[in-house]
Amino acid sequence: MNYKDRWNEFQTQAHQLVAQMTLQEAASQLRYDAPAVERLHIPACNWWNEALHGVARAGTATVFPQAVAMAATFDDSAVFGMAAAAADEGRAKYNFQSAAGDRGIYKGLTFWSPNINIFRDPRWGRGQETYGEDPFLTARMGCAYVTGLQGDGPYLKAAACAKHFAAHSGPEATRHGFDSRVSLHDLADTYLPAFHAAVKAGVAGVMGAYNRINGVPACAHPYIQSLLREKWGFKGYFVSDAWALHDIYQYNPLTKGPEETTQMTLPMGCDLNCGDTYRSVMDAYKHKLVKEADIRTAAEHLFTIRCALGEFADDCPYDSIPFEKIDSKENNQLSLRAGEKSAVLLKNDGILPLHLSKLKTIGVIGPNADSIEVLHGNYCGTASQWETNLRGMQDYVRGQARVLYAQGCDLYCDRVMDLAQPDDRLSEAAAAAKASDVVVLCLGLDPTIEGEQGDAGNAFSAGDNETLQLPASQQHLLKTICSTGRPVVLVVNSGSGLDLSYAQEHCSAVLQVWYSGAHGGEALARLLFGEVVPSGRLPVTFYRGVDDLPAYEDYSMQGRTYRYYRGTPLYPFGYGLSYSTFSYTDLQLEHTEVTKDAGLCLQVTVQNTGKFDADEVTELYLSKEGADSFTPLRKLCGFCRTSLKAGEVRRISFEVPAVSFYNVSGDGRQFYDRGVWQLSVGGHQPDDRSCALCGSSTLQVRVTAK
């Protein structure tokens, strides 16, 4: 029996446990670091654990590519596999840790992932934690994570938590007091759909954001009760972001202190406080600011999860998951394959794949060439072995060619050594490039300058990017290496879309590899030398600069993401090249009319017309003819990844449900949008820029919503 079928049983068990507690004991359980209730044989529980792309912050674990890289695979089965591996490793850690009485932070089974916020602006440092800018892709990937992590057994293998609810995507520097002014349309159309999908998938937890939403703190918003619990049927627990309740009275301020904040948040449905505010729950109760029912209801929500995890059971099958599951060979192979699938080939003038037999010397240059940080991403674990870009190239070549290495520059400072002159490593890099047959230039960002406020200790904007340009030190290096006349393959590690206009014009090839996981270097080498064919797609739009974007603090979606941006991007959402070529023919629909109760089925023939065995990502988009400004220009409504040998032909099928033909009105109301829609099928968006970059068009057909 699946744990979902036993939820009423877990709720009953939780009710019975909480009923035996004194009110003081129940109140103590509303903290993330909940103490033991020894007289009831209830152990301590620290709810704070992380598993964004593998078990994090708790010692050795398999480190997968960062979440935005997982999104670039356009493969929800890969996300499912990553989450399932994290659940196994998390359980294995929990089993030996709890047996030793070790129940501290990062030791439990409640993982505060996935981050399903929409990456609306490339300047947001935490965008790397998300599945990109599209609600449909984010929902698919988020649900894959939830189902992979939680499993399908009689108990939760681990508990997922969808964050940050809601309308949260920077800025980092002011997040503690920031008010996200969001229209009802944009909430329903962009910011909430992935949360709705996660709730329907059975996510165990939802985390409230730091920010306010139209003046109301996210952790005290009526949406918690009215939308999550009443309309969507959420049955899990709601937790505040770290010290977000403290922000309500310190940064906003909307209350005078912890007691008034508890009065604002606890009755509204915030069950658990990550922070210290709920240490005042009993004081709030004594002053009649909260009711006993508020306290016990929250405690029951929390203990339902602990019961569903099998914490008080004798028959939980996951109690026997052994230590050997951690950092296993199988899980590391999954990480390597995910790194290979996530790389996006942005440009290739024919230089790739490299032919080792024709090369005597390869220059591997740049501040990210031998960087471990670019493998990490934020919220990461500790891998037992790291394969940097440089090490991956060295291990692959194995003496068949010479690899010359030069750092070239600092990540963002104007010199590597403090007492040196500016550009102290530039001449070495130029010499290495001139001595090489080809240069693999490794540039980009890393989590020390792009990430969460407090984690990314950069000199810029609390982890956010003030510009889409490479740091000045790297721009100088890029231009210097390109001026040597040697062919340059630019490899970009970053968690966001950068302005790579210069590279598009001057480099022979450009490969976006994100924060690529513990085996990123091996994946890179296999991709560059053609053992694996690039197949990733961009989950975000790459713009030409911040001038193409609205103000960062503006939460309106107008002019943002491929769905509403009317300009010409550098690289569009859904774009990615291959070493092979593919053709699409014979698009067939059962019918070209749909109703609000029935969607459509379609089939299309895909052929690998190139010389390489390769994966192809097929994308489906819908656009409404004659639409108003509230309607997306187009929207992703389906995708699949197909492995095809050279010359192979495959017939693939898609279901396009009726909900795909719904839109959102200006007042946030979802409605069936009758009229003519255009459906496109192919390896990319149907826009002019994608077609020009890919050298191919998409198949299109008109569909009538009656």
Side-chain angles (χ1 to χ4, degrees):
M1 181 183 292
N2 185 279
Y3 67 85
K4 293 180 182 178
D5 301 321
R6 304 181 62 194
W7 206 257
N8 289 340
E9 175 188 335
F10 299 139
Q11 289 177 318
T12 298
Q13 186 182 359
H15 176 76
Q16 293 171 347
L17 274 173
V18 174
Q20 297 176 61
M21 296 178 189
T22 67
L23 191 59
Q24 175 73 52
E25 288 169 338
S28 74
Q29 299 301 297
L30 310 190
R31 297 159 27 194
Y32 79 97
D33 53 347
V37 184
E38 294 182 358
R39 70 179 189 87
L40 297 178
H41 308 290
I42 295 172
C45 176
N46 196 302
W47 289 76
W48 191 342
N49 207 350
E50 306 285 357
L52 181 62
H53 51 114
V55 178
R57 300 179 176 179
T60 303
T62 305
V63 177
F64 287 81
Q66 179 58 286
V68 71
M70 297 301 298
T73 68
F74 273 64
D75 184 358
D76 43 3
S77 67
V79 175
F80 180 95
M82 176 270 289
D88 283 342
E89 295 192 17
R91 268 286 178 173
K93 285 178 175 289
Y94 173 80
N95 289 342
F96 76 77
Q97 289 162 344
S98 60
D102 186 359
R103 295 180 178 272
I105 192 170
Y106 310 133
K107 303 293 177 65
L109 294 170
T110 49
F111 294 102
W112 289 348
S113 300
N115 184 338
I116 54 173
N117 292 135
I118 297 300
F119 198 177
R120 67 181 176 94
D121 192 301
R123 288 168 284 196
W124 187 34
R126 295 191 74 179
Q128 61 176 286
E129 300 175 28
T130 76
Y131 296 121
E133 69 182 34
D134 181 67
F136 181 86
L137 178 64
T138 299
R140 280 273 296 266
M141 296 302 192
C143 289
Y145 181 99
V146 169
T147 54
L149 190 84
Q150 297 189 168
D152 61 356
Y155 296 96
L156 288 167
K157 185 180 288 187
C161 179
K163 64 183 186 185
H164 310 81
F165 188 82
H168 179 74
S169 52
E172 287 297 298
T174 58
R175 66 181 184 173
H176 297 285
F178 187 75
D179 187 10
S180 302
R181 309 301 297 187
V182 193
S183 70
L184 294 175
H185 169 270
D186 286 339
L187 277 170
D189 178 63
T190 298
Y191 294 110
L192 294 177
F195 285 97
H196 187 196
V199 168
K200 293 302 181 184
V203 70
V206 172
M207 176 181 284
Y210 285 111
N211 54 277
R212 287 173 286 159
I213 306 171
N214 297 327
V216 181
C219 293
H221 207 285
Y223 272 155
I224 299 173
Q225 296 285 23
S226 64
L227 197 63
L228 281 175
R229 295 203 183 277
E230 295 172 11
K231 186 174 182 180
W232 294 352
F234 176 56
K235 297 180 180 180
Y237 77 101
F238 190 97
V239 57
S240 72
D241 206 339
W243 276 257
L245 302 194
H246 189 271
D247 293 346
I248 292 175
Y249 61 88
Q250 179 173 354
Y251 290 98
N252 288 303
L254 299 175
T255 60
K256 294 180 180 178
E259 291 182 36
E260 287 190 3
T261 301
T262 300
Q263 179 188 28
M264 174 182 283
T265 58
L266 185 59
M268 196 56 67
C270 185
D271 304 311
L272 185 69
N273 172 218
C274 181
D276 55 10
T277 300
Y278 277 7
R279 293 180 183 273
S280 300
V281 167
M282 285 304 294
D283 291 331
Y285 171 75
K286 291 173 183 176
H287 291 107
K288 299 183 179 181
L289 300 179
V290 297
K291 301 176 181 178
E292 178 174 351
D294 298 326
I295 298 170
R296 293 196 181 274
T297 296
E300 287 183 18
H301 289 158
L302 298 172
F303 274 90
T304 298
I305 303 302
R306 293 180 70 172
C307 292
L309 285 164
E311 185 174 342
F312 309 108
D314 296 325
D315 63 342
C316 181
Y318 308 126
D319 290 345
S320 60
I321 294 178
F323 184 94
E324 289 75 17
K325 278 286 186 180
I326 301 168
D327 194 35
S328 67
K329 180 180 179 180
E330 295 78 12
N331 289 349
N332 277 276
Q333 281 295 306
L334 284 176
S335 175
L336 172 63
R337 299 294 172 248
E340 293 169 350
K341 289 182 177 182
S342 66
V344 184
L345 184 61
L346 300 176
K347 178 186 178 181
N348 185 20
D349 67 2
I351 192 173
L352 296 180
L354 300 174
H355 298 281
L356 189 54
S357 61
K358 299 179 181 179
L359 299 172
K360 294 182 179 180
T361 307
I362 303 168
V364 180
I365 296 172
N368 282 346
D370 201 29
S371 168
I372 293 177
E373 291 292 342
V374 300
L375 307 179
H376 284 165
N378 63 357
Y379 285 89
C380 70
T382 301
S384 59
Q385 180 180 353
W386 300 105
E387 297 165 30
T388 65
N389 294 338
L390 173 64
R391 179 62 60 85
M393 294 293 289
Q394 290 170 331
D395 288 347
Y396 189 92
V397 170
R398 294 182 185 276
Q400 298 178 69
R402 185 174 180 186
V403 175
L404 301 178
Y405 166 62
Q407 182 176 346
C409 67
D410 183 79
L411 188 68
Y412 65 93
C413 294
D414 67 354
R415 68 204 74 193
V416 173
M417 302 304 295
D418 290 341
L419 299 180
Q421 298 291 327
D423 299 324
D424 56 331
R425 299 295 170 86
L426 193 61
S427 61
E428 178 188 35
K434 291 175 183 177
S436 300
D437 298 317
V438 64
V439 175
V440 178
L441 183 59
C442 301
L443 304 180
L445 309 175
D446 77 14
T448 68
I449 63 171
E450 177 184 48
E452 184 174 7
Q453 180 208 38
D455 286 348
N458 65 5
F460 306 124
S461 185
D464 290 334
N465 304 316
E466 292 185 333
T467 174
L468 304 187
Q469 298 288 332
L470 288 165
S473 59
Q474 296 188 48
Q475 293 184 50
H476 194 184
L477 177 63
L478 172 61
K479 293 176 181 178
T480 297
I481 299 304
C482 287
S483 70
T484 64
R486 295 296 188 267
V488 177
V489 176
L490 177 63
V491 174
V492 182
N493 289 98
S494 69
S496 57
L498 300 175
D499 177 7
L500 302 175
S501 300
Y502 183 90
Q504 174 67 17
E505 183 177 350
H506 294 91
C507 293
S508 296
V510 181
L511 187 66
Q512 175 75 30
V513 296
W514 315 102
Y515 299 137
S516 49
H519 304 282
E522 181 180 353
L524 174 63
R526 287 167 55 83
L527 287 158
L528 293 181
F529 287 101
E531 281 205 36
V532 178
V533 175
S535 57
R537 298 291 195 270
L538 292 181
V540 291
T541 301
F542 278 42
Y543 302 93
R544 298 176 187 272
V546 293
D547 290 343
D548 288 349
L549 296 167
Y552 185 18
E553 295 78 12
D554 182 0
Y555 265 67
S556 169
M557 291 306 298
Q558 290 300 315
R560 295 192 184 280
T561 77
Y562 81 96
R563 298 168 72 235
Y564 291 102
Y565 177 61
R566 296 181 180 275
T568 301
L570 179 63
Y571 303 122
F573 172 92
Y575 165 68
L577 299 174
S578 173
Y579 298 155
S580 199
T581 56
F582 300 88
S583 69
Y584 287 83
T585 57
D586 195 20
L587 172 62
Q588 293 185 349
L589 283 68
E590 289 184 341
H591 46 77
T592 57
E593 293 184 350
V594 297
T595 68
K596 65 179 180 179
D597 299 316
L600 57 84
C601 301
L602 66 89
Q603 292 186 327
V604 66
T605 297
V606 184
Q607 182 177 8
N608 183 344
T609 54
K611 299 179 180 179
F612 294 85
D613 298 347
D615 285 5
E616 168 69 342
V617 174
T618 302
E619 305 168 30
L620 274 65
Y621 293 90
L622 278 171
S623 59
K624 178 70 187 305
E625 294 187 4
D628 59 25
S629 62
F630 289 111
T631 304
L633 297 172
R634 66 187 62 86
K635 58 183 180 180
L636 184 71
C637 64
F639 62 87
C640 75
R641 173 181 282 267
T642 309
S643 296
L644 296 167
K645 295 186 180 299
E648 184 179 357
V649 178
R650 187 83 59 86
R651 190 75 172 161
I652 57 176
S653 302
F654 289 93
E655 299 279 344
V656 183
V659 71
S660 301
F661 297 89
Y662 277 66
N663 271 320
V664 177
S665 64
D667 60 2
R669 179 179 51 85
Q670 290 187 325
F671 67 98
Y672 180 66
D673 200 354
R674 290 179 170 83
V676 178
W677 293 70
Q678 182 171 275
L679 175 69
S680 70
V681 184
H684 49 78
Q685 282 192 65
D687 65 295
D688 292 342
R689 179 63 173 165
S690 296
C691 293
L693 287 168
C694 295
S696 61
S697 58
T698 62
L699 299 181
Q700 299 181 5
V701 63
R702 300 175 82 199
V703 176
T704 302
K706 299 182 70 69

